[in-house]
Amino acid sequence: MSSLLRLATAGSVDDGKSTLVGRLLYDTKSVLADQLDAVTRASVDKGLSTPDLSLLVDGLRSEREQGITIDVAYRYFATPKRSFVLADTPGHVQYTRNTVTGASTAQLAVLLVDARKGVIEQTRRHAAVLALLGVPQLVLAVNKIDLVDYDEATFTVIAKEFATHAETLGYPRGSVLAIPVSALEGDNVATRSERTPWYSGPSLLEHLEDVPVAPDPHDSALRFPVQYVIRPRTPEYPDYRGYAGQIAAGTVRPGDEIVVLPQGIRSRIERIDTADGPLEEAGAGTSVTLLLTDDIDISRGDLIAAADSPPRITDEITGTLCWLSSKPLKAGARVLVKHGARTVQALVGDLHARFDEQVLSSVDSPSSLELNDIGLVTLRLAEELGVDDYGDSPRTGAFLVIDPKDGDTLAAGLVGERFS
């Protein structure tokens, strides 16, 4: 069975992300015949002699007319070696927040730059966001290499500049693969190009197929946010009490000792139920119903965790926020914090710092956070939550900040200080 790779694309406006994704879909034969026919007809209408593969991605007519992509779109394709889920994010600076959404679950990110422009402000911004989110694998696709006559020197300068920047963000020296590509012509996308004889590395698709993927954290401590309490109270199941949800981290087995948070009550796993019958073991990403040996008052939003390695119980979170709203964030604001399946009221405390992703330094004690700003903020919670540092457990170390007035999402948050 082929493995799964979750990846995201990022880059500035007109760097060719949509064309690159369209090329990957086309070259992996992941396009239906009627879709390709429609793209071919639309391309002819535009006066093009070859299909505009970006149209495979930019599906909305308004997007096509403006030539931009304005949301995160998920694409699915596969090769005999591996299956892929790709999050295609927009390039405009005002949509940096969408990069956070697309990269939040990515195991690898493909960051595009235009070979004619090199590393620009938005390149550095996206790289900083990817590093803050802890995306472990990074590929630099130097696109439109055909427009600089496949010049090796141009590629080398861009690759070296970005490698230095990536190293300052925490990526190990030599870990970022730079690939010269032409999404339009297909050079080094699915197969290696004869027009770049000076490049000896893999094509983009070859790298995506072979790059090692870290396994799901089954060996980390159990984290199970309770989504729903199942109590049928039927003649067949008069005393059944199960707790349904998806395992966020770790592995669970019957007999394991657990603690229910925030109550702090201990018990043991009696059984693991699924729609297909009971399991002897279940790992991260599996949706199950847990039954305990003790009758405990558990509600939606509670957290079942490993008794020997519980998360921190706190009524105050200091975390890194990516501010997603046009409304500025200021100290004293009343918000909601959604962590797992639980939502609690909170008060914004100190704004400790704002991260400047261009010079890789922080500004102390900003008066506010504006749209797309990344900052370190303390939130005082009305109720205690069981939280982990994002670096230790991304699923239980992430949270959302919500506007209590209209329910809009204001920020994506990561527990802990992600920059200094």
Side-chain angles (χ1 to χ4, degrees), residues 150-359:
Y150 300 93
D151 182 51
E152 179 182 7
T154 300
F155 169 77
T156 301
V157 168
I158 295 172
K160 286 184 177 179
E161 180 183 354
F162 185 79
T164 300
H165 182 71
E167 193 173 340
T168 63
L169 291 169
Y171 286 98
R173 181 187 295 269
S175 66
V176 178
L177 175 65
I179 305 175
V181 303
S182 170
L184 184 65
E185 301 293 336
D187 296 292
N188 294 323
V189 178
T191 58
R192 285 177 242 194
S193 173
E194 295 180 353
R195 290 181 281 198
T196 54
W198 41 265
Y199 173 71
S200 59
S203 70
L204 177 60
L205 185 59
E206 286 173 340
H207 180 67
L208 296 180
E209 287 182 320
D210 296 333
V211 65
V213 177
D216 286 329
H218 296 307
D219 57 348
S220 58
L222 174 67
R223 299 291 185 264
F224 181 80
V226 176
Q227 294 280 348
Y228 186 69
V229 179
I230 300 176
R231 296 199 66 190
R233 293 177 177 172
T234 62
E236 188 178 1
Y237 302 102
D239 301 316
Y240 189 98
R241 184 194 292 262
Y243 308 104
Q246 186 180 84
I247 300 173
T251 302
V252 63
R253 304 173 185 85
D256 286 353
E257 185 178 9
I258 56 91
V259 61
V260 180
L261 301 171
Q263 300 93 317
I265 303 173
R266 295 190 172 222
S267 184
R268 289 188 181 274
I269 301 296
E270 180 179 281
R271 197 165 81 233
I272 306 171
D273 278 356
T274 71
D276 299 319
L279 299 177
E280 290 303 313
E281 179 180 297
T286 308
S287 296
V288 297
T289 299
L290 300 182
L291 283 74
L292 307 183
T293 56
D294 301 288
D295 189 3
I296 302 173
D297 184 16
I298 299 176
S299 304
R300 170 181 165 83
D302 290 347
L303 183 69
I304 295 175
D308 60 354
S309 185
R312 176 168 55 95
I313 302 299
T314 182
D315 61 1
E316 185 174 284
I317 295 177
T318 297
T320 300
L321 297 185
C322 179
W323 193 248
L324 311 178
S325 173
S326 57
K327 307 173 187 175
L329 174 69
K330 296 185 178 181
R334 296 186 180 276
V335 297
L336 298 176
V337 170
K338 186 178 189 304
H339 178 262
R342 194 169 181 199
T343 302
V344 302
Q345 297 181 23
L347 188 69
V348 178
D350 294 333
L351 275 60
H352 303 285
R354 177 177 57 79
F355 180 58
D356 187 331
E357 72 282 350
Q358 295 303 311
V359 297

Side-chain angles (χ1 to χ4, degrees), residues 10 20 27 72 109 226 315 364:
L20 180 67
D27 287 349
V72 178
V226 176
D315 61 1
D364 293 336

